[in-house]
Amino acid sequence: MKFLINRMVQIVIICTISCSFSFAQDSLKTVYLGEVIISSDTITDQDYQLTADQLLEANRKLNVAKRGNFAWEPVIDGFTDGQITVAIDGMRVFGGCTDKMDPATSYLEPVNLQKLQVLHAADAQQYGTSLGGAINAEMRYPTLGNPLSLGVQTAYSSNTNGTDTNVFLEKSYKKIGFRYSGAYRQHQSYTDGNGNLVPHTQYRKQNHTFTTLFQQNESTQWTGLFMFDEGRDIGYPALPMDVSSATAYMGNLGFKKKFNDSFFSTLTAKVYYNSITHIMDDTQRENVAMHMDMPGKSQTGGVWTTLEHTSSKHQFKLKGDVYINTLFADMTMYSPTGGVNMYLQTWGDIQRNSAAIFIEDVWQLDPRLKWKNSLRLEAVSTNLTSDLARMQFEILGYSINGPESDLGGDFSSLFLYQLDKKWSASFGGSYTQRFGTASELYGFYLFNARDQYDYIGNPNLENEKATSFTFDLNYKKGVWNVGARARKTYIKDYIVGIVDENLDAMTPGALGVKEYQNVDNAQSSHFELYGSTKFTNWLGYRLSAVVENGYIDALHSPMPYMRPFTLKQDVRVLIKKVTIGGQYEYSSGMSSPSTILGEAETSSYHLVNLYVDYNLPLRKGNLQFDIAINNVFNTYYIDPFAWNSIPNMGRNIKAGINYKF
Amino acid sequence: MKNLSYIALFLFSFIIIGCNNDDNETVTPNNPSYDFEITKVKDETSGLTLKLMASKENLSEGVNNVAFEIEGTSTLTTGGTWQIVPKMTMMMNEMTHKHSTPIRGFEEATESFSGKGQILFVMPTIEMGAWDIEVQYILEETALATWTMPLTVEPVPFLAEDPAYKTVINLPLADSDNKIIMGYNFIDNGNNPAMGSNNYEILAFKRIPSMGHGHLETYVPYTDLTFGVTPHMPSMDHGSPNNVDPVASTDGVYTGVVNFSMLGDWQLKLNVVDNNTVILDEEGVSFYLEF
């Protein structure tokens, strides 16, 4: 054992020296560093007026890629799309858009959420095979014994002449409870820091969610969820098309059982289904050479079961999960000259069946040292089931007659060390083999507006393989909490689009065609510092600083989505019933973009936000008035990950009123 | 025991994948068949009825895959040959004019079956001109049976109006009165183009004018041509990859592969060379499809 520990320490030290920065691992935080992280993931009613996108952006463990003012794509340590997992209330959810216009998180509403967690390594692996991490959105269920509660919030935004309204109503009894929560948002296009309108940044959205909880007896609990979410008239200025509607239905039934006198202490199970229909639209665009219809549909059904065992030395978890995801998208192009219309299938009924088993054990080696090991084995079969789509692939030289089966998964090993009451550290490594996504395997001429290439899938793709080393250090004393996290990842068979000179682009104006291929090698580094303190009961301060870099050898290019140096500070003052806060953000700008993959340089910027909350307790309930000024100095800036250099919103004054009892 | 049942539930989740999975269906090509009866005519001399069978519901301008078959179980005397002569009778300036059109194949004939063949109709039935086809079964220079079938040959209309878009290419050859006639046939799909990879053939004939005195013009296979074919989608201005230029497979028949990456309008731009003489290049007329 000692040898193993020494070995791991050596590896971490070597890794730490070899990368330009080091330390810290986020995956620890939810488990080891505990409360601080969990509380920051917990959604409070202060968050309800934010969009899910804004919540993600505010999370220091995440970044987002923007194509407009809606449906920002989450990025974890520079990894995105198929490299990360999104779980909504335990459900696997896959967007219905071939152009990634609707990441699963775009169907979320904060008023529905209990937690929005960003997880790494073992914590992420129980939700899916992902080398980047996972986003786990836990929905809010009624609290039993709470007779009736109601909350209403509404806010007006000056920049977009828009409103955000949400409501929740919860009624529960001793054994059963019900909760409805919903939201409606509508925003017109925003103006940037130069006062120029950024066209096609408008959107409307509504969400209705019902949850219920039934406590059958002391040890047995049932839950149910139904959610409807619909976006309308959503603009995507970075893309050539907008979205007329994006509709999601999600439902699940959960079961939890506790045992007092058996080996396993808890059994949890859930069965679920979700369906997404996504309709792209270019009828609001001017000078469209050829109008196109591009609907997409994603349906996912699954079931999972978890068994937990706790003893003095071990915390053991066993999970099995199964899901089936079907994707269909096609494209009709209307002849501008009145000729025959054109048609193809971009996702030709792609069906993925997955079965996985996940095992985790946290072993208390001694009072100060825990060893956490986890293993996920996942078998998938992916098939292109549409005859027409199979015929399409013939032109690329592929003969697709049946499903492709693959075995992948993750292994993670982490040491959690409590040096003393103040200092704690964790270090470890993980190895992941993730599967190609539906688009990477079977996408057919999917236009990527970022690098202006049509992308085609490659059914022969190998799994992407990543080895990560992480180090996390934390100091906590009294109100002070300071930490650092570092991660270094080496990737073999990195999946990326490579130009195929023999292929003609289909999309008018596209530069050519890229086919997904495995290339060697890629690597990335992530380093962050964070800290928080409460100087007094009424004065608090938070800070985080992050920088990332990465490189793809085969392309002689930086990896995309590597965050330039970003500093965020947050000060909050509470004076009687008034809270005054300020946020300051500095980004050094994207100085080494992955131009080959469509990234562009961006300038550095300073951003200041201010807010004031006035809290007025009433005889029944609580009334709160909020005013926030975002981008106080009306700075013109472009987010480093923004597609096609679309500028961010200029100054926005947001005034809101909240009531709840 | 209770625990066992929960473990069973857990394991059940893995079984589901086995119940709902591998779709081993394969794509079955729609091979050409001669399932459609176009017309039938009875020969009063022999009392036999001849059916014209085709791979499509209707005959149309361009290449048609057809066969003639005697209805029922009666047969003719063994050892004869089939003679098939399509003719169009046109009224022009109150004068009657007749012309024919290329045919090929009709091998492996029997006493009741003409064998499979192809008729390349150079034009559809029009107001001023009607097609018929005369089929004879000849034994020792005597026609044992003669059938004359009136036919309707449908035009192939296009939504796009471009005089360069053709189903049948008919071009004069330099330094002679001869012409080249070309049509296409999608082999695996009853001469219907399909999404994806298509095996196809181009039929090329040399048209030699009539000698007059009531003779019809003649068509001979045009051999030794070199083809370069570029599929192109005019409305999207792109092509498709991995095509195989047609090469001679038998006299006057050139077989290749063309890939269509989507449904819509497709041109087959042609470079046709006879030895060193360019007969047609991509700037000229082309085959054109809407599907």
Side-chain angles (χ1 to χ4, degrees):
Chain A
M1 183 56 64
K2 257 185 178 176
F3 170 76
L4 260 178
I5 295 170
N6 287 335
R7 193 75 190 157
M8 287 303 297
V9 170
Q10 281 171 14
I11 289 169
V12 169
I13 289 170
I14 290 165
C15 158
T16 307
I17 293 167
S18 67
C19 59
S20 52
F21 20 77
S22 51
F23 285 51
Q25 156 55 340
D26 229 9
S27 62
L28 295 185
K29 288 178 193 140
T30 47
V31 175
Y32 194 52
L33 305 174
E35 292 168 14
V36 172
I37 302 314
I38 287 172
S39 64
S40 73
D41 293 335
T42 301
I43 307 300
T44 69
D45 52 7
Q46 298 287 328
D47 299 319
Y48 292 173
Q49 280 181 6
L50 299 176
T51 64
D53 290 333
Q54 289 164 338
L55 261 184
L56 292 171
E57 189 183 33
N59 191 321
R60 68 173 172 78
K61 289 173 279 180
L62 262 185
N63 212 324
V64 292
K66 298 175 182 174
R67 298 169 176 84
N69 198 24
F70 188 81
W72 299 341
E73 188 179 2
V75 182
I76 302 175
D77 296 350
F79 300 109
T80 185
D81 193 26
Q83 295 170 317
I84 65 172
T85 297
V86 178
I88 297 178
D89 205 40
M91 301 180 283
R92 294 301 302 270
V93 181
F94 299 89
C97 176
T98 52
D99 292 349
K100 306 176 195 173
M101 294 160 107
D102 69 332
T105 47
S106 67
Y107 297 102
L108 293 176
E109 268 300 328
V111 70
N112 304 331
L113 295 178
Q114 179 80 32
K115 283 181 189 172
L116 189 63
Q117 293 176 305
V118 179
L119 305 169
H120 295 90
D123 300 316
Q125 288 162 18
Q126 65 173 304
Y127 297 103
T129 300
S130 59
L131 62 91
I135 294 171
N136 178 39
E138 281 186 21
M139 304 300 268
R140 193 175 282 275
Y141 284 84
T143 307
L144 293 183
N146 181 11
L148 180 69
S149 62
L150 168 76
V152 184
Q153 301 189 349
T154 188
Y156 173 78
S157 290
S158 63
N159 192 305
T160 58
N161 189 24
T163 54
D164 297 272
T165 303
N166 64 74
V167 59
F168 69 84
L169 179 65
E170 195 173 313
K171 171 82 176 163
S172 58
Y173 305 90
K174 193 177 172 186
K175 286 201 160 189
I176 193 165
F178 305 92
R179 177 184 165 90
Y180 162 79
S181 52
Y184 179 76
R185 302 175 187 277
Q186 62 83 22
H187 291 271
Q188 296 172 16
S189 291
Y190 64 72
T191 51
D192 63 23
N194 290 337
N196 296 321
L197 185 74
V198 183
H200 310 296
T201 50
Q202 79 290 344
Y203 69 89
R204 299 199 309 270
K205 187 190 191 203
Q206 63 171 320
N207 180 293
H208 304 280
T209 301
F210 299 88
T211 55
T212 183
L213 186 149
F214 172 56
Q215 190 78 39
Q216 187 179 346
N217 53 46
E218 271 189 9
S219 62
T220 308
Q221 192 181 79
W222 297 85
T223 57
L225 171 133
F226 173 77
M227 186 175 98
F228 166 75
D229 187 280
E230 182 190 65
R232 287 256 179 194
D233 186 23
I234 307 166
Y236 289 83
L239 305 180
M241 295 187 84
D242 301 315
V243 166
S244 60
S245 71
T247 310
Y249 295 89
M250 300 185 193
N252 68 51
L253 191 64
F255 172 76
K256 190 170 187 179
K257 176 88 177 170
K258 289 186 176 170
F259 308 101
N260 292 327
D261 50 1
S262 68
F263 181 76
F264 289 112
S265 58
T266 311
L267 179 147
T268 318
K270 190 163 274 189
V271 57
Y272 64 88
Y273 174 78
N274 57 71
S275 171
I276 290 171
T277 305
H278 188 268
I279 311 291
M280 283 194 237
D281 175 34
D282 60 7
T283 58
Q284 308 302 313
R285 297 295 181 100
E286 294 173 351
N287 305 319
V288 175
M290 181 180 290
H291 283 292
M292 301 182 189
D293 276 345
M294 296 175 67
K297 196 167 179 66
S298 168
Q299 293 168 293
T300 310
V303 57
W304 56 258
T305 312
T306 304
L307 287 163
E308 291 172 54
H309 161 79
T310 306
S311 69
S312 59
K313 290 266 185 190
H314 289 275
Q315 283 178 284
F316 179 76
K317 184 185 271 188
L318 179 65
K319 182 178 182 182
D321 72 71
V322 174
Y323 75 81
I324 297 170
N325 172 240
T326 307
L327 297 168
F328 179 81
D330 60 6
M331 194 161 136
T332 304
M333 293 145 278
Y334 296 98
S335 170
T337 57
V340 65
N341 296 332
M342 289 137 282
Y343 177 83
L344 61 82
Q345 293 181 355
T346 42
W347 280 343
D349 272 325
I350 302 169
Q351 182 173 322
R352 169 163 287 180
N353 302 331
S354 159
I357 187 162
F358 170 78
I359 302 166
E360 178 189 275
D361 179 56
V362 182
W363 187 359
Q364 191 81 45
L365 293 168
D366 73 40
R368 293 191 301 177
L369 182 63
K370 287 180 186 172
W371 189 17
K372 182 174 182 176
N373 286 292
S374 68
L375 174 72
R376 177 186 177 86
L377 283 177
E378 182 170 357
V380 300
S381 84
T382 314
N383 198 2
L384 189 67
T385 62
S386 157
D387 285 344
L388 195 75
R390 287 181 174 189
M391 288 193 280
Q392 288 174 174
F393 260 82
E394 287 176 359
I395 75 159
L396 303 171
Y398 295 106
S399 177
I400 297 166
N401 299 314
E404 288 284 332
S405 296
D406 242 322
L407 191 65
D410 321 75
F411 172 72
S412 164
S413 187
L414 208 61
F415 288 94
L416 314 165
Y417 192 56
Q418 188 75 42
L419 280 78
D420 56 31
K421 284 184 179 174
K422 299 169 198 159
W423 288 95
S424 60
S426 75
F427 51 91
S430 63
Y431 175 76
T432 304
Q433 281 203 24
R434 71 109 178 161
F435 312 101
T437 62
S439 291
E440 288 164 348
L441 292 170
Y442 294 120
F444 194 73
Y445 286 90
L446 305 178
F447 179 61
N448 181 329
R450 196 173 205 203
D451 62 5
Q452 305 288 312
Y453 276 83
D454 281 337
Y455 274 67
I456 55 170
N458 177 354
N460 297 332
L461 274 185
E462 299 287 328
N463 289 345
E464 194 170 77
K465 303 163 188 77
T467 306
S468 282
F469 298 100
T470 58
F471 187 75
D472 197 334
L473 190 66
N474 186 266
Y475 175 84
K476 194 174 180 187
K477 184 184 177 189
V479 296
W480 287 89
N481 180 37
V482 181
R485 182 175 83 90
R487 171 178 179 165
K488 181 81 184 176
T489 304
Y490 300 91
I491 307 173
K492 278 183 71 67
D493 289 328
Y494 183 72
I495 298 174
V496 68
I498 301 292
V499 176
D500 187 335
E501 301 284 0
N502 296 318
L503 300 178
D504 283 351
M506 279 191 190
T507 306
L511 300 175
V513 178
K514 289 184 178 179
E515 185 187 42
Y516 284 107
Q517 290 185 15
N518 296 105
V519 300
D520 281 333
N521 292 304
Q523 56 175 293
S524 72
S525 309
H526 172 102
F527 177 65
E528 84 182 68
L529 289 169
Y530 58 89
S532 66
T533 185
K534 271 170 91 176
F535 293 108
T536 69
N537 280 340
W538 52 270
L539 181 61
Y541 173 76
R542 277 193 305 185
L543 170 143
S544 72
V546 182
V547 65
E548 293 166 342
N549 71 17
Y551 197 76
I552 309 166
D553 294 346
L555 300 185
H556 307 292
S557 162
M559 263 175 75
Y561 296 125
M562 290 292 114
R563 197 167 2 177
F565 176 71
T566 308
L567 175 70
K568 290 183 182 180
Q569 296 182 82
D570 192 341
V571 180
R572 177 180 286 236
V573 183
L574 177 64
I575 306 169
K576 294 189 175 176
K577 294 173 183 172
V578 180
T579 305
I580 301 171
Q583 293 161 339
Y584 164 75
E585 179 179 329
Y586 167 75
S587 169
S588 66
M590 183 67 86
S591 57
S592 52
S594 178
T595 48
I596 201 167
L597 297 174
E599 287 189 332
E601 286 193 15
T602 62
S603 303
S604 63
Y605 63 82
H606 302 268
L607 190 67
V608 175
N609 303 322
L610 292 174
Y611 59 88
V612 180
D613 300 341
Y614 177 72
N615 203 35
L616 183 64
L618 303 176
R619 185 175 294 173
K620 178 156 187 168
N622 194 67
L623 192 62
Q624 184 171 307
F625 300 93
D626 309 322
I627 290 187
I629 308 172
N630 297 316
N631 194 355
V632 172
F633 299 109
N634 205 21
T635 304
Y636 177 90
Y637 72 105
I638 296 168
D639 191 283
F641 294 173
W643 278 39
N644 292 336
S645 301
I646 299 296
N648 271 47
M649 191 184 291
R651 184 187 299 118
N652 180 40
I653 300 173
K654 188 172 180 180
I657 181 167
N658 313 332
Y659 172 73
K660 74 166 184 175
F661 70 84
Chain B
M1 196 61 205
K2 216 174 181 181
N3 287 344
L4 276 180
S5 64
Y6 289 117
I7 291 166
L9 174 65
F10 167 74
L11 292 174
F12 171 72
S13 64
F14 292 95
I15 294 167
I16 288 180
I17 197 73
C19 303
N20 191 342
N21 205 338
D22 304 349
D23 176 4
N24 287 319
E25 68 176 84
T26 55
V27 179
T28 307
N30 185 11
N31 286 315
S33 59
Y34 296 83
D35 295 338
F36 296 99
E37 182 182 303
I38 302 297
T39 186
K40 61 183 177 184
V41 168
K42 186 174 181 182
D43 169 46
E44 296 301 336
T45 308
S46 63
L48 298 175
T49 297
L50 188 71
K51 297 188 295 184
L52 169 54
M53 307 299 291
S55 60
K56 284 186 182 177
E57 200 169 3
N58 297 306
L59 299 178
S60 61
E61 186 183 2
V63 175
N64 293 262
N65 298 292
V66 296
F68 298 91
E69 188 178 11
I70 289 173
E71 190 175 59
T73 54
S74 302
T75 61
L76 290 151
T77 308
T78 307
T81 57
W82 295 82
Q83 181 178 291
I84 299 160
V85 182
K87 280 183 284 192
M88 173 172 253
T89 305
M90 300 182 78
M91 291 297 294
M92 294 171 71
N93 301 324
E94 298 184 356
M95 297 280 287
T96 303
H97 167 76
K98 285 182 186 288
H99 69 81
S100 184
T101 205
I103 69 168
R104 66 166 295 277
F106 301 106
E107 293 153 3
E108 299 178 12
T110 68
E111 61 278 3
S112 61
F113 183 60
S114 67
K116 294 173 181 175
Q118 291 165 309
I119 304 176
L120 195 172
F121 286 108
V122 292
M123 61 188 294
T125 300
I126 55 174
E127 192 178 345
M128 305 294 286
W131 284 103
D132 61 47
I133 194 160
E134 186 182 273
V135 182
Q136 289 186 311
Y137 186 80
I138 299 169
L139 182 66
E140 295 172 356
E141 299 183 358
T142 304
L144 300 186
T146 301
W147 300 271
T148 301
M149 299 175 167
L151 302 174
T152 299
V153 177
E154 303 285 347
V156 179
F158 302 136
L159 289 173
E161 293 176 2
D162 189 320
Y165 295 167
K166 302 289 185 186
T167 302
V168 177
I169 289 175
N170 186 339
L171 293 172
L173 294 167
D175 303 328
S176 76
D177 294 331
N178 297 342
K179 289 183 170 181
I180 183 170
I181 311 290
M182 290 185 288
Y184 60 80
N185 177 41
F186 291 94
I187 297 167
D188 299 327
N189 206 23
N191 203 10
N192 290 311
M195 179 85 90
S197 192
N198 292 260
N199 294 312
Y200 75 115
E201 56 192 11
I202 293 176
L203 275 55
F205 295 89
K206 192 179 284 182
R207 179 185 184 277
I208 301 165
S210 157
M211 303 297 286
H213 308 294
H215 289 284
L216 293 171
E217 78 282 17
T218 54
Y219 297 89
V220 296
Y222 204 138
T223 56
D224 300 325
L225 293 174
T226 305
F227 279 87
V229 178
T230 307
H232 179 252
M233 191 164 228
S235 57
M236 299 282 286
D237 193 26
H238 65 71
S240 69
N242 301 323
N243 300 286
V244 179
D245 285 334
V247 293
S249 58
T250 184
D251 284 354
V253 180
Y254 301 84
T255 308
V257 177
V258 63
N259 290 319
F260 297 124
S261 47
M262 65 173 79
L263 303 179
D265 55 327
W266 284 95
Q267 254 181 302
L268 299 182
K269 292 184 171 180
L270 299 169
N271 287 292
V272 185
V273 178
D274 179 358
N275 291 315
N276 293 322
T277 306
V278 175
I279 294 176
L280 176 62
D281 65 23
E282 291 191 1
E283 302 305 312
V285 293
S286 63
F287 289 133
Y288 179 75
L289 308 155
E290 290 178 347
F291 63 101

